[in-house]
Amino acid sequence: MIVCLRLFTALCLAALLAACASSPSSSLGELPRTPDASLEQLLQQASASQDPQEAALLRLSAADLAMRQQINERAAQILAQVPVDQLKPAQQVFASTLAAELAMNRNDPKAALTALSHPSVARLDEMPADLQVRTHTVHARALEADDQTLAAARERVAMSAHLTGDSANSNNEAIWTLVAALPVEQLQASGNDVLGGWMSLALAVKRAGTVQEQQTAIDQWRAQNPAHPAAIQLPTPLVKLKELASQPLTKIALLLPQEGQLASVSKALRDGFVAAHYQAQQAGQNPPSIQFYDSSRLTSLDDFYRQAQADGVQLVVGPLEKTLVKQLNARSQLPITTLALNYSEGTKGPAQLFQFGLAAEDEAREVARRARADGLTRAGAMVPKGEWGERVLNAFRQEWVAHGGSVVGIEYIDQPVALAQQVGDLVQQRKNSSEPMQFLFLAATPQQAQQIKPTLNYQYASDLPVYATSHVFSASGNQDQYNDMNGVRFCETPWLLEPGNPLRQQVAAQWPQAAGSLGRLYAMGVDAYTLTSRLGQLKALPDSRIDGLSGSLGMSPTQHVERQLPWAEFVNGQVQRLPDTPN
């Protein structure tokens, strides 16, 4: 009986071995495949095998099975027992791909890219199609997570020839998402291959202004590239653009308070909005008409929307009041698409609500992007004490930590007399730390910054870079105010950093205050007008951006318009423009 059991077991194990490997493929070697066996059976057979090649194939199958069962740590342990350098090329590619997939499962794209740098992967185009697709897929995911967008698109294009049906369509959608996120300068380097076609399509869409112009550009591109995958089946966002082009905007409601605490802010926004409207008329466009409504006299949002609908309004710009924006955000839907000129905190609002404002959080995230682009990893922070300072600090910290940075010291600006001690505490911490801060994130008024920077110099920390929000810049034209802030870098609106802009010059000639700090509000008004014709574009093309006068504008998944800003530095009391933050 025992002899019979042994014979039966041996036959089962032999069949198991045959199921674990594909047929021989010349010098590339056999590929493992998921067998009809349990994880433990595979591991037992691998341990019992006298053939190193068979044992390696069984362990590769076991590791692959463990990963598919979401037992990632076990999969990694099994894979570590496989002598990859002793395997044949196809097996090495399989092992490298599996290691990369496990790395991505633990959110480690750099480890995935290291795994895929194995020399065998250079022979990927000799491998079976299913392995090619699997390797290209994880490579694209890792590159995208590592912000190597163009390389990720290239990987997806490379595997597209092996895909059909829904898989091909999904891959093409992913290619478009990647290519649409590339800056214009990278798109201009396109060739005549398939990837070049994708890039030239994205460039055509980005160069066009209105939705109608974008539709014309898409039609022309399709006529020139009839055999391209994107011409055969347009990516979904471009189909949505086509739908938008058939719905021209003819009437806008501008809902702003004419009385109360926000009246002066409202006036600057309104003047900027109307100035942009007149500029469009002068350029020979046919802009929509504007109807003005006073939000300070509102008794009911429902009554307002009923009146706006009766007046033929297709888009509402406003309100400005945060309480009203919160009310809109809490609704399940709105009767008219609305661009609110403030932000509500919390969850995403109705699909018809977009939100835009001069959020300090945008600037905090911009500081994080800039410092990261400059190669820095450890930050100190000084922000005002209170709710505003906490919001700004949290926005900076989230963006900073999400990309591998650390915050090694924080001080909350409170009373002026305590500033020197607070700066001294940060400097002392920097001196005593084994991993000292490399720069200071500063959100402060010009008056506070005038004390903080000289104190840093006095504390022998003049070499500590300071990256600040726009709040350090009053745009007063008083050079003496900035003499003590040499070297402080800050982000600011294009409106205040580009005085030669024709629209800015025209507005400032009529309203001189637009050349000062109020200019940020005029810029926001101009950009709000620009957004009226581009909201559909930003929603349909989530990675696209608009070069505005309050910043480079993009849209978050919660339909908040977010700004990226240019940079400047105080040099001998003067404001000196710096190169933009690399994408």
Side-chain angles (χ1 to χ4, degrees):
M1 185 67 163
I2 292 173
V3 172
C4 291
L5 281 173
R6 284 177 177 168
L7 179 59
F8 178 73
T9 301
L11 289 170
C12 287
L13 294 177
L16 191 60
L17 268 175
C20 287
S22 64
S23 57
S25 54
S26 68
S27 62
L28 294 178
E30 298 172 343
L31 277 176
R33 62 190 179 197
T34 304
D36 186 16
S38 72
L39 184 60
E40 297 307 325
Q41 286 176 317
L42 289 170
L43 293 175
Q44 287 174 5
Q45 178 58 16
S47 298
S49 176
Q50 300 299 311
D51 185 338
Q53 283 289 319
E54 289 176 346
L57 281 171
L58 283 162
R59 287 195 173 95
L60 284 176
S61 289
D64 190 33
L65 180 60
M67 186 191 71
R68 294 177 189 277
Q69 294 176 348
Q70 299 182 353
I71 316 172
N72 291 319
E73 285 191 23
R74 185 85 186 277
Q77 291 168 356
I78 297 168
L79 185 59
Q81 299 173 25
V82 177
V84 175
D85 289 337
Q86 297 175 24
L87 301 178
K88 291 189 175 180
Q91 299 156 2
Q92 291 177 329
V93 173
F94 186 93
S96 299
T97 300
L98 184 56
E101 289 169 335
L102 289 168
M104 290 305 295
N105 286 348
R106 62 177 186 270
N107 196 27
D108 190 350
K110 291 196 181 298
L113 293 174
T114 299
L116 292 168
S117 66
H118 192 276
S120 62
V121 179
R123 300 180 64 181
L124 183 60
D125 58 356
E126 302 175 42
M127 305 297 160
D130 55 349
L131 179 57
Q132 288 191 45
V133 168
R134 185 170 172 179
T135 307
H136 281 306
T137 299
V138 70
H139 204 170
R141 289 173 53 215
L143 288 165
E144 182 179 3
D146 197 47
D147 294 328
Q148 298 185 53
T149 308
L150 178 56
R154 190 173 287 115
E155 288 296 319
R156 289 199 170 275
V157 169
M159 69 178 177
S160 58
H162 300 296
L163 300 173
T164 58
D166 290 343
S167 296
N169 292 336
S170 296
N171 188 54
N172 286 340
E173 295 286 343
I175 293 170
W176 172 252
T177 299
L178 291 165
V179 171
L182 292 171
V184 168
E185 53 269 21
Q186 279 191 272
L187 294 173
Q188 289 173 329
S190 60
N192 295 321
D193 56 359
V194 175
L195 178 58
W198 283 108
M199 293 168 71
S200 65
L201 173 59
L203 183 61
V205 172
K206 288 194 175 192
R207 278 180 166 168
T210 65
V211 173
Q212 286 74 21
E213 290 170 348
Q214 287 175 328
Q215 186 55 49
T216 300
I218 292 168
D219 291 341
Q220 290 175 346
W221 181 89
R222 292 182 84 177
Q224 295 165 359
N225 302 270
H228 193 277
I232 297 169
Q233 181 167 333
L234 272 180
T236 301
L238 298 188
V239 174
K240 292 179 180 177
L241 269 185
K242 189 171 185 178
E243 295 169 358
L244 290 166
S246 64
Q247 304 166 3
L249 184 64
T250 58
K251 193 167 190 178
I252 298 171
L254 188 58
L255 176 64
L256 291 171
Q258 296 180 19
E259 300 173 0
Q261 291 183 333
L262 293 174
S264 60
V265 172
S266 170
K267 183 179 185 306
L269 289 170
R270 184 170 60 250
D271 290 342
F273 191 91
V274 172
H277 178 263
Y278 285 142
Q279 185 189 53
Q281 284 183 326
Q282 292 167 359
Q285 299 175 18
N286 185 25
S289 62
I290 304 170
Q291 185 148 341
F292 300 90
Y293 298 83
D294 184 359
S295 60
S296 60
R297 294 181 178 273
L298 271 187
T299 56
S300 162
L301 281 168
D302 290 324
D303 288 345
F304 160 73
Y305 277 109
R306 275 192 289 270
Q307 183 61 55
Q309 283 181 307
D311 293 338
V313 167
Q314 298 163 285
L315 174 69
V316 175
V317 178
L320 173 62
E321 299 91 330
K322 203 173 188 72
T323 53
L324 294 178
V325 179
K326 286 182 177 179
Q327 290 179 38
L328 293 177
N329 195 71
R331 299 192 174 202
S332 59
Q333 62 179 0
L334 300 177
I336 304 175
T337 301
T338 300
L339 174 63
L341 298 180
N342 210 327
Y343 295 103
S344 63
E345 285 79 38
T347 56
K348 181 181 177 180
Q352 301 83 8
L353 179 64
F354 300 86
Q355 300 175 45
F356 173 48
L358 301 180
E361 291 90 334
D362 287 343
E363 300 189 19
R365 287 186 282 266
E366 179 62 45
V367 171
R369 281 191 292 269
R370 181 72 182 207
R372 185 171 68 249
D374 289 346
L376 305 175
T377 57
R378 297 186 300 277
M382 290 193 78
V383 300
K385 186 177 182 180
E387 186 266 342
W388 184 88
E390 203 62 56
R391 281 195 292 111
V392 173
L393 176 62
N394 286 339
F396 169 78
R397 183 159 42 195
Q398 288 172 9
E399 176 76 18
W400 185 242
V401 173
H403 291 84
S406 61
V407 180
V408 297
I410 300 170
E411 290 287 343
Y412 292 94
I413 303 168
D414 190 6
Q415 300 298 325
V417 292
L419 266 179
Q421 183 61 48
Q422 290 177 309
V423 173
D425 291 345
L426 278 176
V427 171
Q428 197 60 41
Q429 184 177 349
R430 183 190 186 211
K431 290 178 180 177
N432 296 337
S433 175
S434 59
E435 293 189 337
M437 71 180 70
Q438 297 170 312
F439 76 100
L440 177 66
F441 164 53
L442 179 63
T445 65
Q447 293 74 23
Q448 291 166 335
Q450 283 173 346
Q451 298 177 63
I452 291 169
K453 179 56 177 170
T455 306
L456 284 172
N457 298 343
Y458 179 76
Q459 297 275 359
Y460 303 103
S462 59
D463 62 328
L464 181 66
V466 177
Y467 289 67
T469 61
S470 68
H471 304 88
V472 301
F473 181 47
S474 68
S476 65
N478 180 5
Q479 178 177 340
D480 295 338
Q481 192 175 25
Y482 307 118
N483 282 329
D484 291 332
M485 288 196 282
N486 264 354
V488 173
R489 295 182 163 197
F490 63 98
C491 54
E492 183 52 88
T493 59
W495 182 277
L496 291 181
L497 293 184
E498 299 170 3
N501 179 277
L503 182 57
R504 180 207 149 132
Q505 289 181 334
Q506 182 180 334
V507 170
Q510 187 167 354
W511 299 290
Q513 65 270 26
S517 59
L518 270 178
R520 299 181 184 113
L521 293 169
Y522 285 88
M524 180 182 161
V526 171
D527 286 353
Y529 181 82
T530 302
L531 285 167
T532 60
S533 62
R534 307 288 285 275
L535 286 175
Q537 172 194 348
L538 290 179
K539 187 172 183 177
L541 304 171
D543 294 304
S544 61
R545 304 200 69 82
I546 296 170
D547 291 329
L549 291 175
S550 66
S552 172
L553 310 178
M555 188 172 292
S556 74
T558 57
Q559 297 189 175
H560 287 198
V561 177
E562 296 180 337
R563 299 177 302 137
Q564 294 181 10
L565 289 89
W567 281 82
E569 181 178 359
F570 292 117
V571 178
N572 298 323
Q574 300 287 333
V575 173
Q576 182 173 301
R577 180 73 181 265
L578 295 173
D580 290 341
T581 305
N583 287 309

